[in-house]
Amino acid sequence: MTSTLYKQLESYKTTKAILDNLEDMFGGQATLARQSAITSLMNAQQKPITSVKDHMITLMGYFPEAANNEANLDQNSQIEMVFNSLSKDFASFRAAYNLGNKNLTLT
């Protein structure tokens, strides 16, 4: 803990008061990081010049970032985000996947 932060917190009498203050100080940053990670996932679109492999590597970097920032994305949500990010060239692949996995409710 830096000396500046220590000095700010030394007047607090209980651990709860210190934790509450730290949450106030840093909680907003965690929310912002989570929103940023999810926004990156939702805005990711495969570009025509990008291979599927490179695009998937990019997405696979975003999913752990979101998880590390406490975004709870279940498997179906992750699959949906991947399909939504692929170019229109993969529409038939998505349709075939949906037919083979009727228990998933992908749109």
Side-chain angles (χ1 to χ4, degrees):
M1 187 174 350
T2 66
S3 59
T4 305
L5 184 56
Y6 180 80
K7 286 179 184 182
Q8 287 177 344
L9 298 174
E10 70 182 349
S11 65
Y12 290 97
K13 302 289 184 206
T14 65
T15 305
K16 181 175 180 355
I18 293 171
L19 289 174
D20 288 345
N21 185 272
L22 289 172
E23 178 64 31
D24 289 344
M25 290 169 69
F26 299 110
Q29 292 175 357
T31 300
L32 184 59
R34 182 174 47 255
Q35 289 172 344
S36 176
I38 292 172
T39 299
S40 294
L41 277 166
M42 296 190 71
N43 290 334
Q45 290 296 311
Q46 181 185 13
K47 294 174 179 51
I49 59 172
T50 305
S51 70
V52 173
K53 177 184 173 185
D54 290 341
H55 179 65
M56 291 307 298
I57 289 171
T58 299
L59 288 179
M60 292 303 107
Y62 291 149
F63 285 119
E65 181 183 344
N68 290 341
N69 287 296
E70 300 179 8
N72 297 319
L73 300 172
D74 62 28
Q75 182 180 5
N76 287 350
S77 297
Q78 291 179 24
I79 292 169
E80 182 70 15
M81 288 177 171
V82 168
F83 278 134
N84 284 335
S85 73
L86 293 173
S87 70
K88 296 194 185 315
D89 296 336
F90 291 92
S92 60
F93 172 76
R94 181 180 180 158
Y97 181 86
N98 287 338
L99 286 174
N101 293 286
K102 293 179 183 174
N103 60 331
L104 295 177
T105 55
L106 301 176
T107 58

